[in-house]
């Protein structure tokens, strides 16, 4: 009888243990996360819509002077007058410097004496030749000597004129490289003159936009120096050759202003607008993925994301024109693409 009670006790303990283990298993299974078979990814969406686009692209460049020249003398000698200082405004034809020309003038005087002697000889030979007193060859030699001497005098007078250094155009003296008393030789840099009565804004335009510009076109130019102020510029040059990055220099000439003066080296920007006639199919810029050559986007179809290749046209700051691969009112994903694959279930948030 005692053994029966012991056996029943063991059976009861085993039963209680099994019931406890089963209960613990059910509680543990309730705590374990079981993922859904087809989870939905939250995304933001927008519809492909028809709208009129106007493309405006800003290009940044820097101002270059209208003209800049380094003054180099065409004669040598000591500077006996120097009439410029850095930053000085100078007019066209105004004297910059004067070189010592005494030696040249002495040579001219000597040649003029020689010329006078030849001319006297010529008069005598003309009389003698008529009377056959001397050969005619003497007359010819004297005439040639006169012409040679006159040519030498002209050459020296030209050298004397070159000792007077003048400004080739109006501008600002931006550099003075010599002082009074300096001895310069032919071609020695003396000064630099910069003309900023008008300036040239040089901007590098990418290949896809360069055809939007044409010579003579009027463009508004803005600067950071004068915010809210615009300057009227005119396209004066479009380069026929681009750089390795397929950018083409475009030159826009701007007349300087006394009220808002510009300086060479300042930054300037232009905004080029090109409008489209009629409406075109567009999507927000955020919808486009991939490169400009192979753009893609996700379209929501029956609750799933479908990756689709498209072709883009005109672009603005907010929208892309879609020329192929999409229909009006298609729903496209604008945010959350990083979590998507082709066929992923999505839910719009």
């Amino acid at each position: 009888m005692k053994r029966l009670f012991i056996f029943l006790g063991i059976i009861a303990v085993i039963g209680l243990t099994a019931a406890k283990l089963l209960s613990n298993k059910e509680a543990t299974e309730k705590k374990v996360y079981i993922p859904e078979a087809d989870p939905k990814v939250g995304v933001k969406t927008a519809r492909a819509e028809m709208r009129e686009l106007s493309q405006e692209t800003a290009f940044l460049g820097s101002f270059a002077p209208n003209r800049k020249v380094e003054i180099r003398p065409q004669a040598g000698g000591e500077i006996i007058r120097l009439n410029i200082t850095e930053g000085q405004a100078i007019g066209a034809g105004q004297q910059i410097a004067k070189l010592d020309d005494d030696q040249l003038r002495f040579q001219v005087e000597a040649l003029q004496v020689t010329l006078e002697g030849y001319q006297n000889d010529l008069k005598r030979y003309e009389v003698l030749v008529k009377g056959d007193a001397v050969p005619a060859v003497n007359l010819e030699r004297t005439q040639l000597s006169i012409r040679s001497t006159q040519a030498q005098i002209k050459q020296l007078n030209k050298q004397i004129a070159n000792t007077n250094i003048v400004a080739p155009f109006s501008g600002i003296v931006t550099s003075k490289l010599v002082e009074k008393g300096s001895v310069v030789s032919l071609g020695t840099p003396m000064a630099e003159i910069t003309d900023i009565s008008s300036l040239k804004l040089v901007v590098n335009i990418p290949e896809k936009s360069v055809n939007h510009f044409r010579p003579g076109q009027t463009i508004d130019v803005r600067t950071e120096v004068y915010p809210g102020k615009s300057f009227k510029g005119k396209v004066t040059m479009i380069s026929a050759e681009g750089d390795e990055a397929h950018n083409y220099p475009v030159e826009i000439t701007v007349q300087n202003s006394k009220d808002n003066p510009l300086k060479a080296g300042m930054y300037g920007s232009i905004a080029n607008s090109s409008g489209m006639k009629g409406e075109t199919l567009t999507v927000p810029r955020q919808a486009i993925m991939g490169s400009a050559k192979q753009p893609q986007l996700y379209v929501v179809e029956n609750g799933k994301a479908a990756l689709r290749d498209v072709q883009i046209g005109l672009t603005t700051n907010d929208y892309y024109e879609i020329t192929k691969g999409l229909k009006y009112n298609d729903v496209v994903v604008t945010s959350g693409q990083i979590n998507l694959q082709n066929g992923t279930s999505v839910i719009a948030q």
Side-chain angles (χ1 to χ4, degrees):
M1 190 67 178
K2 185 178 180 180
R3 291 181 178 179
L4 178 61
F5 285 130
I6 292 172
F7 178 75
L8 292 175
I10 292 172
I11 294 297
V13 170
I14 293 173
L16 290 172
T17 301
K20 183 63 176 176
L21 291 174
L22 182 61
S23 176
N24 289 342
K25 180 181 179 183
E26 291 176 352
T28 301
E29 288 178 347
K30 290 180 180 180
K31 294 180 180 180
V32 174
Y33 170 74
I34 301 176
E36 298 181 17
D38 186 15
K40 293 183 178 181
V41 177
V43 295
K44 292 183 179 180
T45 61
R47 292 188 179 273
E49 298 177 338
M50 303 297 292
R51 69 179 70 245
E52 292 185 358
L53 290 186
S54 177
Q55 185 182 41
E56 182 172 283
T57 308
F59 300 105
L60 181 67
S62 60
F63 287 103
N66 179 41
R67 291 178 291 183
K68 182 169 67 173
V69 66
E70 193 173 56
I71 304 300
R72 296 172 180 262
Q74 297 182 20
E78 180 186 354
I79 301 175
I80 59 175
R81 284 199 301 273
L82 187 64
N83 303 324
I84 59 170
T85 58
E86 288 191 4
Q88 172 189 342
I90 193 167
Q94 184 175 336
Q95 187 183 71
I96 294 174
K98 183 70 174 73
L99 305 182
D100 183 11
D101 60 0
D102 286 349
Q103 292 295 328
L104 296 172
R105 292 186 183 277
F106 296 154
Q107 294 179 49
V108 170
E109 288 182 15
L111 286 172
Q112 286 175 339
V113 171
T114 302
L115 177 62
E116 186 177 346
Y118 286 141
Q119 290 173 336
N120 292 334
D121 290 342
L122 179 63
K123 293 177 181 178
R124 287 193 294 268
Y125 283 136
E126 286 176 343
V127 173
L128 294 173
V129 167
K130 289 180 180 179
D132 294 328
V134 295
V137 66
N138 291 338
L139 178 62
E140 293 176 358
R141 287 174 180 173
T142 303
Q143 289 173 333
L144 291 175
S145 296
I146 290 174
R147 290 173 59 188
S148 175
T149 305
Q150 289 173 333
Q152 293 177 59
I153 291 174
K154 288 180 180 179
Q155 185 178 13
L156 287 171
N157 284 332
K158 175 64 175 176
Q159 293 179 29
I160 291 172
N162 288 339
T163 62
N164 187 42
I165 316 300
V166 299
F169 51 77
S170 299
I172 305 295
V173 178
T174 50
S175 178
K176 187 184 75 169
L177 305 173
V178 293
E179 295 294 341
K180 181 181 178 181
S182 301
V183 177
V184 296
S185 58
L186 179 68
T188 300
M190 296 181 64
E192 185 178 75
I193 296 178
T194 303
D195 175 15
I196 57 171
S197 58
S198 61
L199 297 105
K200 300 171 183 177
L201 179 65
V202 181
V203 293
N204 289 320
I205 306 299
E207 179 180 3
K208 66 179 182 180
S209 301
V210 71
N211 287 335
H212 296 161
F213 295 84
R214 63 185 185 279
Q217 177 182 356
T218 300
I219 294 180
D220 286 336
V221 176
R222 298 185 179 276
T223 66
E224 293 182 356
V225 180
Y226 304 110
K229 170 69 176 177
S230 64
F231 299 83
K232 290 296 181 183
K234 181 176 292 186
V235 177
T236 51
M237 189 278 295
I238 301 173
S239 177
E241 182 178 4
D243 58 19
E244 294 181 355
H246 297 272
N247 292 320
Y248 293 79
V250 173
E251 188 176 276
I252 300 157
T253 299
V254 178
Q255 292 297 318
N256 212 339
S257 167
K258 291 183 179 180
D259 297 330
N260 300 290
L262 298 170
K263 297 182 182 298
M266 287 181 174
Y267 287 114
S269 64
I270 59 172
N272 180 54
S273 298
S274 58
M276 290 187 60
K277 295 181 179 179
E279 292 187 330
T280 185
L281 186 64
T282 64
V283 297
R285 289 182 66 93
Q286 298 86 344
I288 298 296
M289 306 181 303
S291 65
K293 292 184 178 180
Q294 293 182 327
Q296 294 178 312
L297 50 70
Y298 280 106
V299 179
V300 178
E301 297 176 336
N302 301 320
K304 294 182 181 294
L307 186 62
R308 188 176 296 181
D309 294 327
V310 294
Q311 290 183 5
I312 59 177
L314 189 66
T315 65
T316 69
N317 292 332
D318 300 314
Y319 295 97
Y320 273 109
E321 176 195 14
I322 304 299
T323 60
K324 186 177 180 181
L326 203 64
K327 302 189 303 295
Y328 172 73
N329 218 32
D330 279 348
V331 178
V332 298
V333 177
T334 58
S335 179
Q337 296 98 322
I338 192 173
N339 300 315
L340 300 181
Q341 295 181 350
N342 195 23
T344 301
S345 296
V346 297
I347 182 171
Q349 296 179 339

